[in-house]
Amino acid sequence: MMKSRFHKGGGMLALSAMLLSACQSGERAPTPEELAMSPDGGTTACPSQVLWGDTHLHTSNSVDAVFNGVRLTAEDALRFARGDEVRSTTGLDAQLSRPLDFLVVSDHAEVIGIGRRIADGDPALISDPTVRRWHEMMNESYAQSTRAARELIVGYAQDTLPEILADPEIARETITSTWAEHVETVERYNDPGTFTSFIGYEYTSMPTGNNLHRVVMYRDGLDVFGETLPFPANQSQDPEDLWAYLAAYEERTGGRAMAIPHNANLSNGLMFAMEDFEGNALTRDYAERRQRWEPIVEVTQFKGDGEAHPSLSPDDEFADFGNTGWDTANLDASIPKEPGMFEGEYARAALQRGLLLESLLGVNPFQFGMIGATDSHTALATGDEDNYFGKFVSDEPNATRAAHSIGASIRGRLGWQYLAGGYAGVWAGANSRAAIFDAMARREVYATTGPRMTVRLFAGWDLEDADLSADPCTLYDRAVPMGGNLSGTGDAPRLLVTAMMDPEGANLDRVQIVKGWLDSDGELQEQVYDIAWGDADTRSVDDDGRVAPVGNTVDLEAATYENSIGDPELSAVWTDPDFDPAERAFYYVRVIEIPTPRWPVYDRLRFGAEIAEGTELVSQERAYSSPVWYSPEA
C-alpha cells in the first residue's frame, strides 16, 4: 500500500494575487467547465491556472512495457491519473494524493499491441523460435520477463529483431485493431473542465542505440482524428519524416499535432546536433520546420535530467542534478560518450546553439519550451518521491529495486539512478484539449522534477516591483510570458518572477535566472544569477553574488524533513545587469527547493531496503520555466 505520504509540510498557503489570479471585472467569471466547453475550448481565456499532467506514459500496449511484465491498460492509466485507486501489476494498491489534470498515454508506435499478442501466445507469432522463447519467459516469472525485455530492446536498438515481428500482415492487423481500441478509450475518458486525455503515441527512433525519441500528441478528438494511424520509427528513423507525416495529417484533417523530443541526454549528441539526420548542414527550411513541429522538449524524467551538465557549466553549483548513470553512454549503453557529445544533449547548451544558428540561418531551430514527464512503463503516472512506482514492473515498490542493476539493455546503471519525476506545468485558460495544447504550442509551460511548484515569468522593459501584486492578466499587454519573444528595446530587460512551493511539499531555497547569449565575438556564454532566496535575512552573499547554502533538515532514518528553512514563496523583479542590446539572449527561471529525501530513503523505511554504497539519498528538486528570447532588431 503506497498511497500514504510520510510528510506534508507547511499546509495550504495563502495564494498570492500574482500566482493565482482571477478575473476582476466584477462580472461572474466563467467556470472551468464552461470555459472548457466553450467554442474555442477556453484557449483564448487568460491563462490563470496551472494544470498538471504527464505527456509520456506507457501501458501494456508498449512492447517493452509488456515484456517487462506490465499488464495494466490505457484505461487503468487514465483512471489512475484522474485520481482513482487502481491495483498495480504486482498487486499493490496505487493512488495519487492529488489527481492530474491531463494525460497523454504514449505507447510505442512500433507494432503497438504486439507484445500483448506474444504474451498471450498468438500462434502466428510464436511459430518463430525466438518469439516462442520470449513468450515462455514472459509467462514464467517477472525476472525472466525482464530478461526477455532486455533481449528485445537490444534487438530493436541494433536492428536484429526476428523477421516475424516485421511481417506486414501481422503488423497491419495488430496496429489497426489495437489503435482503434486505444483511441476509443482515450475519447471516453476525456472530460473537459475536469480531466483531459489526449490522443498520442511515442515515435521510437533509436539508430544504433542513440535516443531520438519523440512523443506525438494531437489537439483533436476522434471527429477530426478519424482513422489516422501512428507513424512508427521502423518506417523511418529520420524525425523529418515524422514532421512530414504530421504536416500531411494537418493538411488532410485540419487538425493540429506536435512532437516532443525527450532523453536528449541519451542521444550521444544527436538530438540537438548541428547537422541533420543525414549529416548535412542545417538550413533555414529545417530550422523553420523544427521550430514548428517541436515547440517544447521534455527535459526531465525517470531516465535522468537534461537541463545542464557540470562539464558544460562548471560554475553552476546546481548543474549536477539527475546526471549520475545517464551521462556515460547512449540509451542501450552500446556506445560510450565522447568529448563534444554533451553540447548536443543538454537543454541549456541546445538553447545556446539555437542563438548561434539563428544568427546564421535567420531562424532558431532550438527555440523550445521545457516540460517534465515520467516515461513510466507501469501505466502509473506518479512523479512523487514518496509514491514512486518505478520505471518498469520490476521497479515497483520492493526492498531490492534501489540497489539492483538495471540490466543488460542499459548496463552499468543502477536502480537508484532512476529519478522520481517529473511533471508538466501548463498555464492554461481551461482544462481542455484546445487550451492545454495551445499553451504548449506557445511554450507557456514549465518542467518540474516532481513537486507541483507554481512558477510564473514575465519579461518586459518597464516592469516594476508594484507589478508583483498586479493581476497577471493585465501584464500581457506590457510583457511576454515564459515562452515568448521579447520585442522592442530598452535599457535592459526586466523579468518578473514569482514562485510558490508545492502546497504538500518543501519550502524554496532560491530562484535563479539562467541567461545564455551570443557575444560580440560570436562566442556562446552563460550566467546563473540568484535573484531571490529564502531566509534572506540570515544568508550571506559572496562577492560573486552567490548565496550561501540553505542548510539541510533531512532526517534519513525517519524519511522526513522540516520546512524550518527556506521560504514558501519567493518573487522579484530582476534587471539584467550585463545586457547588451546587440547580443541575442535567452532567459529562463530555475527554482530550487530545500533538500528533501529521495525515494530510496522511503524504501529503506518501508521495506528495510538495501542501500548500496554511493546511492544519492538527498536532492534539491526543482522547476525550469520555458525561456524568454531576446533578439536585436534588424
Side-chain angles (χ1 to χ4, degrees):
M1 185 76 172
M2 292 292 296
K3 65 180 180 178
S4 64
R5 299 170 69 87
F6 276 77
H7 180 90
K8 292 185 178 179
M12 290 297 293
L13 298 170
L15 305 182
S16 72
M18 184 63 222
L19 288 165
L20 289 176
S21 74
C23 294
Q24 297 179 349
S25 64
E27 299 179 358
R28 184 183 73 83
T31 67
E33 291 76 13
E34 289 171 339
L35 284 170
M37 296 300 290
S38 64
D40 68 355
T43 191
T44 57
C46 175
S48 58
Q49 59 183 330
V50 179
L51 298 176
W52 292 101
D54 185 1
T55 56
H56 191 178
L57 183 81
H58 297 269
T59 73
S60 57
N61 279 336
S62 286
V63 66
D64 60 341
V66 73
F67 263 63
N68 272 290
V70 76
R71 295 296 183 267
L72 270 58
T73 65
E75 182 155 8
D76 296 316
L78 290 159
R79 291 182 55 243
F80 178 81
R82 72 177 187 180
D84 295 356
E85 182 175 291
V86 304
R87 181 68 55 88
S88 80
T89 296
T90 59
L92 298 170
D93 291 332
Q95 189 171 26
L96 293 170
S97 65
R98 293 167 288 178
L100 295 177
D101 298 303
F102 64 90
L103 180 70
V104 183
V105 176
S106 55
D107 285 307
H108 294 292
E110 292 69 30
V111 199
I112 187 170
I114 202 166
R116 286 167 52 188
R117 292 180 65 170
I118 296 172
D120 293 342
D122 184 290
L125 289 166
I126 64 174
S127 62
D128 179 277
T130 298
V131 176
R132 172 179 287 279
R133 181 168 57 81
W134 287 345
H135 160 73
E136 293 169 350
M137 294 168 74
M138 293 171 73
N139 289 282
E140 180 177 333
S141 65
Y142 288 130
Q144 284 293 86
S145 187
T146 299
R147 292 188 183 95
R150 292 169 187 162
E151 294 184 21
L152 174 89
I153 294 171
V154 171
Y156 179 74
Q158 303 305 322
D159 197 21
T160 58
L161 289 176
E163 291 184 2
I164 191 71
L165 298 184
D167 180 275
E169 184 61 25
I170 292 175
R172 184 195 60 77
E173 194 281 327
T174 303
I175 293 170
T176 303
S177 60
T178 303
W179 187 244
E181 177 186 354
H182 173 77
V183 172
E184 184 278 326
T185 301
V186 170
E187 284 291 286
R188 188 155 37 86
Y189 276 81
N190 187 49
D191 185 7
T194 302
F195 178 79
T196 297
S197 58
F198 288 93
I199 298 172
Y201 59 87
E202 181 168 350
Y203 163 79
T204 322
S205 174
M206 196 165 64
T208 63
N210 297 325
N211 186 91
L212 291 176
H213 298 186
R214 269 84 170 164
V215 167
V216 176
M217 65 179 289
Y218 295 84
R219 188 179 189 263
D220 315 306
L222 186 58
D223 56 333
V224 174
F225 191 78
E227 297 181 352
T228 304
L229 293 174
F231 183 78
N234 50 11
Q235 192 164 329
S236 170
Q237 300 239 44
D238 186 346
E240 289 188 67
D241 290 328
L242 171 66
W243 304 343
Y245 186 82
L246 299 181
Y249 164 79
E250 292 195 356
E251 177 69 20
R252 186 180 74 254
T253 66
R256 293 283 306 279
M258 71 170 67
I260 307 172
H262 68 85
N263 281 117
N265 59 333
L266 299 173
S267 71
N268 273 9
L270 296 184
M271 188 65 84
F272 304 112
M274 299 294 278
E275 301 84 26
D276 66 14
F277 189 79
E278 300 294 339
N280 302 310
L282 301 186
T283 64
R284 182 184 178 97
D285 174 63
Y286 175 96
E288 289 175 338
R289 285 182 291 124
R290 180 146 186 168
Q291 189 185 101
R292 164 68 176 81
W293 294 110
E294 301 186 349
I296 56 176
V297 170
E298 178 189 313
V299 298
T300 189
Q301 60 131 279
F302 286 0
K303 297 198 302 294
D305 188 276
E307 184 246 347
H309 191 276
S311 68
L312 299 174
S313 305
D315 295 329
D316 181 356
E317 64 192 294
F318 294 101
D320 60 349
F321 181 85
N323 301 139
T324 306
W326 306 107
D327 57 357
T328 57
N330 60 353
L331 178 57
D332 66 346
S334 59
I335 304 176
K337 300 289 186 194
E338 295 179 0
M341 288 181 172
F342 287 157
E343 287 85 346
E345 298 196 323
Y346 287 84
R348 189 183 304 173
L351 291 166
Q352 290 177 290
R353 281 187 165 185
L355 299 179
L356 176 61
L357 289 165
E358 183 182 31
S359 72
L360 300 173
L361 305 174
V363 178
N364 182 347
F366 303 142
Q367 189 170 26
F368 56 81
M370 296 191 275
I371 63 167
T374 66
D375 195 12
S376 165
H377 282 56
T378 65
L380 304 173
T382 168
D384 300 324
E385 300 285 346
D386 61 353
N387 196 27
Y388 175 61
F389 265 79
K391 169 75 173 179
F392 293 109
V393 165
S394 59
D395 308 309
E396 289 192 359
N398 63 63
T400 63
R401 62 175 176 166
H404 77 188
S405 171
I406 289 176
S409 64
I410 38 182
R411 57 184 176 271
R413 291 158 180 149
L414 299 172
W416 67 263
Q417 293 168 343
Y418 281 126
L419 308 184
Y423 287 135
V426 177
W427 282 103
N431 190 344
S432 71
R433 285 171 170 165
I436 295 170
F437 185 98
D438 290 358
M440 292 180 172
R442 66 175 184 267
R443 302 180 291 259
E444 199 168 355
V445 297
Y446 60 99
T448 86
T449 58
R452 302 189 193 186
M453 292 175 267
T454 305
V455 180
R456 199 147 205 182
L457 165 66
F458 287 94
W461 301 106
D462 62 352
L463 295 171
E464 301 174 344
D465 288 347
D467 292 317
L468 288 168
S469 57
D471 177 353
C473 292
T474 66
L475 298 180
Y476 285 86
D477 292 335
R478 300 167 45 213
V480 295
M482 62 177 73
N485 292 296
L486 183 60
S487 59
T489 188
D491 293 336
R494 296 177 65 81
L495 274 62
L496 184 153
V497 183
T498 55
M500 186 171 68
M501 64 179 281
D502 182 335
E504 295 188 5
N507 273 349
L508 307 180
D509 169 358
R510 68 188 72 194
V511 173
Q512 301 175 308
I513 295 290
V514 180
K515 177 185 177 184
W517 71 98
L518 180 66
D519 71 16
S520 57
D521 295 325
E523 299 294 326
L524 294 170
Q525 308 290 347
E526 68 171 66
Q527 180 71 42
V528 180
Y529 303 87
D530 291 330
I531 67 164
W533 49 94
D535 306 322
D537 55 339
T538 59
R539 296 170 71 184
S540 61
V541 182
D542 68 18
D543 294 339
D544 294 325
R546 294 184 178 181
V547 177
V550 70
N552 184 357
T553 64
V554 172
D555 182 337
L556 292 176
E557 297 304 318
T560 60
Y561 61 94
E562 296 180 358
N563 278 329
S564 56
I565 58 174
D567 278 11
E569 296 184 36
L570 295 171
S571 62
V573 176
W574 176 81
T575 304
D576 181 358
D578 305 307
F579 179 66
D580 184 333
E583 296 175 341
R584 300 174 192 277
F586 64 81
Y587 306 86
Y588 65 87
V589 176
R590 186 170 65 183
V591 182
I592 308 287
E593 276 191 348
I594 65 170
T596 53
R598 291 192 66 234
W599 62 266
V601 179
Y602 294 98
D603 276 10
R604 182 166 63 182
L605 182 71
R606 292 166 176 168
F607 311 119
E610 174 188 355
I611 301 296
E613 184 177 353
T615 302
E616 294 174 7
L617 301 178
V618 175
S619 68
Q620 287 189 261
E621 306 247 31
R622 56 204 60 201
Y624 313 121
S625 80
S626 293
V628 167
W629 287 266
Y630 166 79
S631 297
E633 291 187 340

